[in-house]
Amino acid sequence: MENRTELDQLGEFGLIRRISTNAPPTRTNTVRGIGDDAAVLETGQNEYTLLSTELLLEGIHFDLSYTPLKHLGYKIVTVGVSDILAMNGIPQHLTVSLGLSNRFSVEAIDELYAGIRAACAEYEIDLVGGDTTPARAGLALGVTVVGSVEKDRVAYRNGAQPNDILCLSGDVGGAYLGLQLLEREKQVFLENPDMQPQLAEHEYVVQRQLRPDARLDVVQQLRELGVMPTAMIDVSDGLASDLLHLCAESKVGAKVFEEQLPIHDKTFLAATELSISPITAALNGGEDYELLFTIRQQDYQTLLDGTTDISFIGYLTAEPGQAALVTKAGEQVDIIAQGWEIRA
Ligand code: ADP
Ligand code: MG
């Protein structure tokens, strides 16, 4: 009898590791293959080409009962662009592939592309191709983004050193709470279609979920200030999970201060209403598309003076695998990932 191993025995990251171990790069111009936010390819004199791809499926990544197609178009570009930014790179070109069932009209696809075009304008990138194929059911969206970075400015997940300062753009936890509110309203609506959604005061977190922005501005600011991040990752799976990736790759530990975690007032409001801890949302929420990066201590003052939307949330230690949250009471709690697992 043939062996059969269930996917959930390996999990997403175990599976990726297995694929990567079995397919090592052979070309000398593959500078970095599987394992970071984007692949790094040698294509020119002074710059690397960056390449990243994402697949988003209806019913898994998005729910069209509360997601306007225009927002979805914008969001898929954000998701793709964010991984290029996470290499400290500048996105340039985009392809979008569609798996479409006949449930969708031409007008619906126009809406999707209105969002894609708006995002392309925002990030100054060009839509240069894709693929279109019929699907039995639902909507599948594939995005590939190509970008570039000067060779001496590429930021990997593995460049951080003990004592480097942990920096985080924007605020976290909002997108997750936005999703919880949308799901709640959906259930209310399903039970009683006459009910109107109660989301007016939660516009901020709902927007964070439905139409997130990638932080091109942060990558540009770092460039202008002449600050080189020692490591960088985008916060897509959740701050805890993505911090642990950065720490594992850099072989360092981390201390994060609870009181430094950037949490928006509206995120607190939504968390209270949903009886979810705002700290849990901030650490494990995901889909924030903020940038988590590390800098040398000597760059701290420059960043403090030159930026407005960066929080200094902690520092790195020489104890690999040990990431702790220092609470307001001064206690230390282990930071653990709560990423998703592949389910049957
Ligand atoms: P991110 O959340 O930043 O997109 P992922 O966790 O999805 O990162 O992916 C981590 C790395 O694994 C990336 O280098 C990605 O290209 C690679 N990867 C993911 N899935 C596959 C796959 N099916 N085959 C090959 N490489 C993959
Ligand atoms: Mg990423």
Side-chain angles (χ1 to χ4, degrees):
M1 221 176 80
E2 273 186 35
N3 275 343
R4 178 187 161 93
T5 311
E6 300 302 329
L7 284 173
D8 59 10
Q9 269 177 261
L10 278 186
E12 180 196 0
F13 301 122
L15 181 64
I16 294 173
R17 221 172 297 123
R18 186 181 174 98
I19 294 170
S20 127
T21 309
N22 293 339
T26 56
R27 298 185 61 92
T28 52
N29 59 359
T30 306
V31 180
R32 187 73 204 251
I34 298 171
D36 217 302
D37 291 294
V40 180
L41 312 173
E42 175 90 59
T43 48
Q45 203 61 27
N46 303 314
E47 295 189 334
Y48 290 133
T49 294
L50 301 169
L51 177 64
S52 176
T53 195
E54 294 281 335
L55 176 65
L56 295 106
L57 301 178
E58 184 179 359
I60 303 284
H61 299 97
F62 55 89
D63 183 334
L64 290 178
S65 66
Y66 53 72
T67 307
L69 281 164
K70 193 170 172 183
H71 285 4
L72 181 63
Y74 194 96
K75 180 169 178 172
I76 62 167
V77 181
T78 289
V79 171
V81 160
S82 186
D83 276 325
I84 300 296
L85 298 173
M87 307 302 294
N88 205 24
I90 302 294
Q92 289 173 350
H93 300 102
L94 167 78
T95 67
V96 175
S97 299
L98 301 176
L100 275 179
S101 75
N102 59 13
R103 200 176 100 224
F104 296 92
S105 65
V106 172
E107 288 74 18
I109 302 309
D110 282 348
E111 275 296 293
L112 181 74
Y113 273 82
I116 292 174
R117 280 198 307 276
C120 285
E122 179 65 31
Y123 302 126
E124 298 178 4
I125 62 177
D126 285 342
L127 174 66
V128 295
D131 195 17
T132 310
T133 174
R136 284 267 183 84
L139 179 62
L141 298 167
V143 268
T144 298
V145 183
V146 177
S148 69
V149 61
E150 294 91 326
K151 285 183 177 173
D152 57 2
R153 290 204 60 86
V154 64
Y156 296 104
R157 293 176 178 180
N158 69 6
Q161 301 277 335
N163 300 320
D164 283 357
I165 298 172
L166 257 178
C167 311
L168 179 62
S169 67
D171 57 87
V172 287
Y176 172 75
L177 294 170
L179 178 63
Q180 300 309 310
L181 286 165
L182 288 163
E183 288 285 341
R184 184 187 73 178
E185 295 307 311
K186 181 183 173 184
Q187 290 312 318
V188 170
F189 180 80
L190 289 175
E191 280 157 30
N192 181 356
D194 294 330
M195 290 285 282
Q196 290 298 309
Q198 305 283 316
L199 290 172
E201 60 178 346
H202 295 303
E203 201 186 319
Y204 178 76
V205 293
V206 168
Q207 185 88 350
R208 292 287 286 168
Q209 168 58 223
L210 293 179
R211 193 188 166 286
D213 282 302
R215 302 306 302 264
L216 177 59
D217 59 332
V218 171
V219 169
Q220 285 167 338
Q221 269 180 351
L222 289 170
R223 208 167 238 98
E224 281 156 20
L225 293 169
V227 172
M228 177 59 207
T230 51
M232 179 135 73
I233 188 168
D234 67 322
V235 182
S236 54
D237 293 344
L239 178 59
S241 172
D242 292 315
L243 171 64
L244 290 170
H245 283 313
L246 190 147
C247 285
E249 291 293 319
S250 294
K251 301 186 174 62
V252 294
K255 291 231 190 304
V256 174
F257 297 98
E258 180 186 354
E259 60 190 358
Q260 303 299 333
L261 287 177
I263 302 175
H264 197 278
D265 286 351
K266 297 286 186 188
T267 301
F268 267 106
L269 184 75
T272 308
E273 191 171 316
L274 289 163
S275 304
I276 293 173
S277 148
I279 302 298
T280 304
L283 284 175
N284 296 310
E287 294 199 280
D288 298 304
Y289 300 105
E290 295 296 342
L291 293 172
L292 175 68
F293 59 97
T294 53
I295 56 165
R296 288 166 304 214
Q297 297 208 359
Q298 67 218 53
D299 289 324
Y300 170 69
Q301 198 62 42
T302 311
L303 222 56
L304 186 66
D305 296 342
T307 59
T308 50
D309 201 21
I310 304 291
S311 299
F312 303 95
I313 63 167
Y315 64 93
L316 300 182
T317 68
E319 292 142 90
Q322 308 219 5
L325 183 74
V326 183
T327 67
K328 286 176 186 160
E331 286 163 6
Q332 299 210 12
V333 186
D334 281 348
I335 293 176
I336 48 169
Q338 284 189 347
W340 61 277
E341 294 292 320
I342 295 171
R343 278 186 296 258

